[in-house]
Amino acid sequence: MPSTEASGSYSTDSTSSGSPVRHYAMVAVLYLMVTLPFLGGPPLFDPDEGYYPETAREMLERGNLLDPVFNGQPRWGKPVAFYLAESLSFKAFGMNELSARLPSVLAGLGFALLTMAAGTRLFSVRTGFYAGLLTAVALQPVVYSRAAVPDMLLALFVALSLYAFLRSQRIGRQTASGQSTRWLLLAYSSAGIAFLTKGPLGLILPGLTILAYLLVSGNAKGILKLKPLSGTLVFLLIAAPWFVYMYSLHGVSFLDEHFIQRNLNRYFTNKWQHPGSILYYIPV
């Protein structure tokens, strides 16, 4: 894994100026200047921007923040994490467009700062700073950061999972293995929250990325050093309780709707009007 870092502190670059803290502040300010203006002005304009805030509103109204409903009917396509974030934002700032979009803005901010942190750890302060600046103004992150949809929350926790894996690899070579284990468990924990945000993608995206890195770098044996047993336990402790709770309320129909209809059939069939072969995903 390329890096000019020697000891776990920030890497240096003779052409960079200022401290890393200052760079993080500059990236954060730039990101907020791009995403915050008129955030609450436009009405909810995308169908999904209606589904998620309305579901959170109905959950608050019903007094059950764990059982998603939309127009009084079960809404089981996505897990509960983003609905919870929406509900907390509504309770803190009222039910309006600004509150509905604020969780995505905060998630996008974390995503930009994590991108900067990863670039700094892998290469240099300057590289990390440029990566953070580009992420702060990149079109797709900015668009999703200004929308009341779960994509940026998913991106944040996938990025955190990958960043924690990166830190575990760097620390594992240099210091006590206890620190490496803690970073690995953070990677599993973050994947668990990502799973609670948008289902299996929250595990598949970081998992495939880490597996591909280990295989391409010729370190297939490194898979056994990822603490798979303790990591899986941590992942399940975070991700599983909500699914167990929903199963206790709704039985097999919930599992079928969420995992079979909204995940397997979504990606492997044309039931949800997504034309194309499964081979589409190979080049992607």
Side-chain angles (χ1 to χ4, degrees):
M1 192 172 289
S3 176
T4 58
E5 180 185 353
S7 62
S9 60
Y10 287 104
S11 55
T12 59
D13 189 309
S14 59
T15 60
S16 64
S17 60
S19 69
V21 172
R22 180 187 175 192
H23 289 163
Y24 280 109
M26 292 171 66
V27 168
V29 169
L30 176 63
Y31 169 82
L32 294 174
M33 288 175 61
V34 171
T35 56
L36 280 183
F38 311 109
L39 184 66
L44 302 176
F45 60 88
D46 181 86
D48 284 346
E49 269 214 308
Y51 293 142
Y52 292 102
E54 173 60 17
T55 299
R57 186 195 69 79
E58 292 187 37
M59 291 165 69
L60 282 169
E61 190 175 80
R62 286 159 53 96
N64 187 337
L65 298 184
L66 296 177
D67 189 9
V69 293
F70 178 78
N71 286 342
Q73 300 300 313
R75 182 164 174 80
W76 296 339
K78 298 293 185 293
V80 74
F82 189 71
Y83 298 126
L84 285 175
E86 292 279 277
S87 298
L88 292 175
S89 184
F90 284 158
K91 291 188 72 172
F93 305 107
M95 293 185 183
N96 51 63
E97 283 84 353
L98 178 64
S99 299
R101 293 168 178 147
L102 191 58
S104 293
V105 169
L106 297 179
L109 174 60
F111 180 72
L113 297 180
L114 275 173
T115 302
M116 178 178 171
T120 300
R121 290 285 174 181
L122 284 169
F123 300 104
S124 67
V125 169
R126 184 178 68 173
T127 301
F129 182 46
Y130 288 167
L133 290 176
L134 289 171
T135 306
V137 298
L139 179 60
Q140 192 163 18
V142 168
V143 168
Y144 278 107
S145 292
R146 290 177 56 86
V149 294
D151 298 79
M152 284 315 301
L153 194 64
L154 172 70
L156 170 63
F157 285 103
V158 169
L160 182 57
S161 182
L162 293 173
Y163 179 71
F165 166 75
L166 163 66
R167 293 297 304 271
S168 75
Q169 299 299 291
R170 296 297 302 155
I171 289 175
R173 297 175 186 177
Q174 297 162 2
T175 59
S177 62
Q179 280 187 286
S180 177
T181 298
R182 286 192 287 273
W183 280 108
L184 277 176
L185 294 182
L186 176 60
Y188 284 104
S189 302
S190 302
I193 301 175
F195 197 100
L196 280 176
T197 301
K198 212 168 181 182
L201 274 180
L203 177 62
I204 292 171
L205 291 176
L208 285 181
T209 303
I210 291 170
L211 178 62
Y213 163 73
L214 292 175
L215 293 177
V216 170
S217 63
N219 188 25
K221 293 182 179 179
I223 297 173
L224 300 177
K225 299 179 181 179
L226 297 181
K227 308 290 182 183
L229 293 179
S230 56
T232 299
L233 177 60
V234 168
F235 173 84
L236 290 175
L237 285 174
I238 291 175
W242 179 75
F243 290 93
V244 173
Y245 171 74
M246 291 295 287
Y247 175 76
S248 71
L249 288 182
H250 305 289
V252 175
S253 59
F254 162 72
L255 298 179
D256 176 73
E257 174 68 13
H258 181 79
F259 288 106
I260 305 300
Q261 305 302 326
R262 296 290 179 168
N263 282 281
L264 288 178
N265 285 346
R266 185 184 185 92
Y267 292 106
F268 291 93
T269 75
N270 194 31
K271 180 174 180 178
W272 304 105
Q273 290 76 52
H274 293 165
S277 165
I278 185 63
L279 298 178
Y280 164 86
Y281 294 100
I282 294 177
V284 172

